[in-house]
Amino acid sequence: MFTGFDPNQIQDDKARQAIIWLLNLVEELKSENVALREEVQRLRDENNRLKGEQGQPQVKPNKAKKNQNYSSEKERRRPKKWGKSSKVDKIEIDREEKLVVDKQELPADAQFKGYESVVVQDIEIKTDNVRFWKEKYYAPSTGKSYLASLPAGYEGEFGPGVRSLVITLYYASGMTEPKIIEFLSHFNISISSGQVSNLLTKKNELWHTEKDEIYQAGLASSSWQHIDDTSTRVDGQNQHCHVMSNPLYTAYFTRPRKDRLTIIEILQNVSQSLFVLNEHTFDCLETFAVPKWAQQTISPWPHNLLLSYTQFEELVNTHLGRLNEQQQARVFEAAALSAYHSQTVIPIVPLLLSDDAPQFRDITDEQALCWVHDGRHYKKLTPFLDYHRQLLDDFKTEFWTFYHKLQRYRASPSVEQATMLSQEFDTLFSTVTGYDALDKRVAKTKAKKDKLLMVLRHPEIPLHNNPAELGARQRVRKRDVSFGPRTMDGVAAWDTFMTLVATAKKLDVSFYAYVYDRVAGVNALPNLADIIQQRSPAAHPIMTSTAT
């Protein structure tokens, strides 16, 4: 609409400002009209449903609408030159065989010139069913029978091969339990749905210990961590799967909530928060704007004493009943943060890289925000007028140009460059285009300057939170296939094995080989936690700069 129209060409200042105001009014009314149409249709559908009829069918288009694609991958990534690399040198050779030419087909003057190598990959799947004859003795003196034990890895009716394969197919390959049973039936393996479920969720204490060790090593391996979450279902109820990661590991934690108290529990790797009152607590209470009278009430409570959730809840309910639910939550969070920062059991995270969700704020000493996530807000703007679309496109180009400058800074940081980029940020995000929705979005980005430019102080951190989002996407895919666990054993198993799968992939370790090694009792492969410790990079120095 109004193609080619530019109000800046209007000479009269008052007329130009009036036209700009009218254009923004058109955008506002158009946006409001679209929202009202959707609301009216929703109410009509609900009215029809209450009358026993059906609402308007929701027919999804073959392709997503252009303005619904909020991905910024094309803008974020630089095009790479594509080239096919040889994988032959990475293939492990199991056997070699020499092939000969039929001598009757050779001419009389043919001369032998050696061999030409060709690598062919193949796999053989066969059963290894064993009937064990276990020696049995009886001692009259003790009245007991003595029976030979099964070899390591053999438990119940299934050996380490089946047990490892079931775990791999379910957690690493995303197969459902019925499909696993169907797959095994092709090889005459007789296994019930209950037996598959038990192999996947029961007797996993050693695996849970490995997950804890991976998380401990992962937290210690870096001065920063990614964090994100996604919705999930547990026995049909909505819960949240939280993802912690860095380049060496990914860990999953399923919890009923995704508030700040839950994030603190995850950072401390406990099922329920612990609480401590000290000076740090009152700093947090001040930051969280807890009323002064409440802070004075808390002051005589026991200090530097570790309290359980029940103990602390009793104190709050007894003495702070006048606080509303939100204010009480801030009190719990302040004391939980003090317990987290005063403990020495698990490494404390100095910096979190996340989106701008409120539950991630004020937990660690520093927080960095994801540029890709901030860029999505601009992708969600849907201007009606061509003039506003052009303004938006021009600003998005400048946005991603600045992003790539930050990427180059990470490769070669300097205090001088940090100062220049900080000043350029101020200039870019002080832009006033006249398109109100865009200008408000630009101002919101500018307000996050310290967190978006945390890379100037910590050039070792990425500019985006994609690794955590990719980790969350794996849970989404698993959720789409298997819906969700139904028991607490299932929840723990999902979190543990998905942690092992994702971490093994990052460390270039075969998940099946790792599981088989443990199930068979061989224990020849090193723990994933030990590999993380070996590959942990040296701590990066923090640049001393006031640029941001």
Side-chain angles (χ1 to χ4, degrees), residues 184-199:
L184 293 176
S185 70
H186 294 313
F187 308 99
N188 295 321
I189 297 292
S190 177
I191 188 170
S192 69
S193 58
Q195 289 168 323
V196 169
S197 178
N198 288 339
L199 291 179

Side-chain angles (χ1 to χ4, degrees), residues 532-548:
I532 292 172
Q533 292 175 352
Q534 293 168 6
R535 300 186 187 178
S536 175
H540 294 269
I542 296 178
M543 294 179 58
T544 303
S545 170
T546 58
T548 61

Side-chain angles (χ1 to χ4, degrees), residues 96-108:
E96 294 186 357
E97 183 177 340
K98 290 182 180 179
L99 303 178
V100 299
V101 177
D102 186 351
K103 302 301 189 294
Q104 295 180 357
E105 297 180 359
L106 292 176

